[in-house]
Amino acid sequence: MADDLAASPVLALTTALIARRSLTPDDADCCALIAARLELLGFRSEWINEGGVTNLWITRGSGAPLTILAGHTDVVPTGPLDQWQSDPFSPEIRDGVLYGRGAADMKSGLAAMVCAVEGLLTSQPHIQGTLAFLITSDEEGLAQYGTRHVVKVLLARGIKPDYAIVGEASSNQQLGDRIMIGRRGSLNGVLKVLGKQGHVAYPHKVENPIHRLAPALAALVSEVWDHGNAHFPPTSFQVSNLHAGTGANNVVPGDCEVVFNFRYCTESTEASLRARVETILNAQGFRYELKWQLSGEPFLTQHGALIAAAQAAIADETGLSPELFTGGGTSDARFISPWGAETVEIGPVNDSIHKINEHVQVADLDRLSAIYLGILQRLHAA
Ligand SMILES: [Zn+2]
């Protein structure tokens, strides 16, 4: 692999990051490695660590536009090691493909961003505005003390970004075929229907919470929450867990718990969904407890200079005109976009993220870096 590493700084940095075992929320000194590289270019580091999470905010330049390159160093657990064809923390290239945990999500994205900025500032030391990296080690876990926290701190200082590029794996079949310009919101609920436990043979002495739940669940499942819009599919309601019963076949349980999730579009809000669920439940006339947890608000970036620059840079490098996409799971863009930045996610192909034998095409690493460079040149030309 030594020859490959010498030939591609992006590959060298990606493999150096994969070799650091940064299981969420451990950064394993990935941020320190990146900070050391960027400080050589005149960036100034600030550590906004919180709750055991490493957060790097590092900037160079002044004034507008302020572009944030954002990402995370933490990775998800490997899963069964015996199913990996090589050690997930010993990066290995086989047939032009780089394998390792974080190869696609998202150490290659981080490395490609760092190398793009190195390329830009080496060729054009005087650029317009400010470049910043916001890198956290808490994206894959609770995401409480990572980007969410840093945004809160910087917002309180009056810092206002113009553009944000999140290096998450956004591509679908080939590099550059898709960029994320929005994400659905995610709202979790835990419903506990309260009944009265007793012997199944004495139905007049029990209140069966499963029977109470059944019509309410049917109503929730068949409800049309909205019809979506030009950018988003309709809001979806899904039950993920259903628990009731003592294990015995002659006992009516005392309660029944349902865990559900909304993936919602910009036609609905947290408040509107909560109110409608409660209306449906109240109509059933049973006793219940309901807990809500908002995982992320939906966002949609309006067309502006960043999307235009991204489309042009991707067309230059790949010849593709990327699909502007809003599906998939959540990412830290949910915290950055409400801060007021035009926000997109651009990164490698995402088919292996979080899986056994996670990988990225080696040839895509330099091309991804060239895409980031093309975007920054367009946004920061002096
Ligand atoms: Zn990720």
Side-chain angles (χ1 to χ4, degrees), residues 72 74 105-106 139-140 168-169 354:
H72 62 88
D74 57 325
D105 184 11
M106 55 162 283
E139 197 273 344
E140 301 288 9
E168 290 281 7
H354 294 209

Side-chain angles (χ1 to χ4, degrees), residues 167-331:
E168 290 281 7
S170 66
S171 299
N172 184 31
Q173 313 245 323
Q174 49 179 316
L175 181 70
D177 64 357
R178 183 184 264 180
I179 64 180
M180 303 283 190
I181 59 160
R183 293 269 190 172
R184 291 177 294 178
S186 176
L187 175 64
N188 296 300
V190 180
L191 167 68
K192 194 187 229 185
V193 178
L194 304 173
K196 190 163 149 200
Q197 182 173 325
H199 198 298
V200 294
Y202 300 90
H204 55 288
K205 293 188 175 175
V206 301
E207 278 176 48
N208 192 321
I210 303 173
H211 297 189
R212 296 272 153 96
L213 169 67
L217 202 50
L220 290 169
V221 168
S222 59
E223 182 77 4
V224 176
W225 304 96
D226 55 50
H227 297 281
N229 55 32
H231 292 286
F232 288 98
T235 292
S236 87
F237 168 89
Q238 290 294 319
V239 173
S240 61
N241 289 268
L242 181 56
H243 297 292
T246 62
N249 63 8
N250 59 357
V251 178
V252 169
D255 56 56
C256 172
E257 190 180 80
V258 184
V259 181
F260 59 87
N261 175 269
F262 281 105
R263 289 299 156 111
Y264 67 100
C265 72
T266 45
E267 298 299 304
S268 292
T269 64
E270 178 194 8
S272 73
L273 293 172
R274 287 175 59 152
R276 288 175 64 187
V277 167
E278 282 161 25
T279 300
I280 288 169
L281 297 177
N282 292 341
Q284 303 293 329
F286 54 60
R287 292 176 297 130
Y288 67 90
E289 294 165 0
L290 182 54
K291 289 195 190 112
W292 293 100
Q293 186 254 332
L294 179 67
S295 173
E297 307 256 17
F299 77 88
L300 179 67
T301 279
Q302 300 305 321
H303 282 251
L306 176 55
I307 290 179
Q311 287 172 316
I314 288 170
D316 271 4
E317 184 56 35
T318 67
L320 299 173
S321 113
E323 176 192 6
L324 305 179
F325 192 68
T326 60
T330 63
S331 83

